[in-house]
């Protein structure tokens, strides 16, 4: 192979590699369970992203430490509570994510800050590779005491 041809083949293969490496990760399937809510009686409810999208939506804009603005879209926890039996009872909301990350969200936080179960960041669904498909987002910019 001539040096010039070798150069172009190498350039082409490098381009293909970079195209694949920078490809947007596939989003999590919208119809598969993405969030588990643990009920007081030991039962569990699961929600897919498609089910969350059927609930009333809201967005939160946050500024990053670099000064950029991010727009998170999802379901306010107050709205989600309305679809969970006996959840509006003053007790923490126990949720589990896909990676088995479990969190107790204080009821007072839900009422005061109305955090968001976000499934989109800047108009894009979040992949598992990007720690998605869901994020719990508090409105930090609106409440300095959260910093």
């Amino acid at each position: 192979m001539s040096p010039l041809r070798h150069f172009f083949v190498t350039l082409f293969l490098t381009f293909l590699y970079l195209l694949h490496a920078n490809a947007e990760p596939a989003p999590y399937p919208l119809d598969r369970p993405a969030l588990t809510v643990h009920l007081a009686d030991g039962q569990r409810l699961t929600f897919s992203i498609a089910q969350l999208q059927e609930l009333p939506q809201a967005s939160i804009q946050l500024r990053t430490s670099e000064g950029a603005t991010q727009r998170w879209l999802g379901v306010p926890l107050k709205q989600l509570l309305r679809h969970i039996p006996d959840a509006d009872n003053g007790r923490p909301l126990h949720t589990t994510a896909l990676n088995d990350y479990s969190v107790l969200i204080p009821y007072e936080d839900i009422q005061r800050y109305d955090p968001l179960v976000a499934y989109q960041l800047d108009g894009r669904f979040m992949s598992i590779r990007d720690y998605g498909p869901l994020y719990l987002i508090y409105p930090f910019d609106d409440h300095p005491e959260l910093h």
Side-chain angles (χ1 to χ4, degrees):
M1 182 181 308
S2 73
L4 185 60
R5 185 174 191 165
H6 185 276
F7 170 77
F8 283 114
V9 168
T10 303
L11 182 66
F12 177 71
L13 291 175
T14 302
F15 173 75
L16 285 179
Y17 170 77
L18 291 174
L19 186 65
H20 175 72
N22 291 325
E24 187 153 331
Y28 185 76
L30 300 181
D31 59 343
R32 289 183 56 199
L35 176 69
T36 301
V37 176
H38 303 268
L39 304 178
D41 63 4
Q43 294 186 46
R44 298 176 183 187
L45 287 179
T46 59
F47 293 89
S48 67
I49 295 172
Q51 289 172 312
L52 294 174
Q53 287 179 303
E54 292 173 7
L55 301 176
Q57 306 297 296
S59 65
I60 293 176
Q61 289 196 13
L62 298 176
R63 294 193 76 63
T64 66
S65 57
E66 295 83 27
T69 300
Q70 296 177 323
R71 183 175 178 268
W72 298 87
L73 178 68
V75 178
L77 279 180
K78 284 182 186 176
Q79 291 294 331
L80 188 61
L81 284 181
R82 293 181 183 152
H83 295 85
I84 300 172
D86 300 321
D88 201 5
N89 56 17
R91 287 184 280 187
L93 183 65
H94 181 195
T95 62
T96 303
L98 287 179
N99 63 356
D100 290 330
Y101 176 76
S102 184
V103 64
L104 286 172
I105 306 164
Y107 183 79
E108 296 79 20
D109 280 10
I110 296 170
Q111 297 307 310
R112 182 172 183 187
Y113 303 116
D114 201 15
L116 195 67
V117 177
Y119 53 78
Q120 282 189 5
L121 170 59
D122 294 331
R124 293 183 171 177
F125 288 98
M126 297 170 285
S127 71
I128 294 172
R129 187 168 91 184
D130 293 328
Y131 307 106
L134 300 173
Y135 274 69
L136 178 62
I137 301 296
Y138 277 72
F140 293 106
D141 292 353
D142 296 338
H143 300 277
E145 68 273 17
L146 290 173
H147 289 279

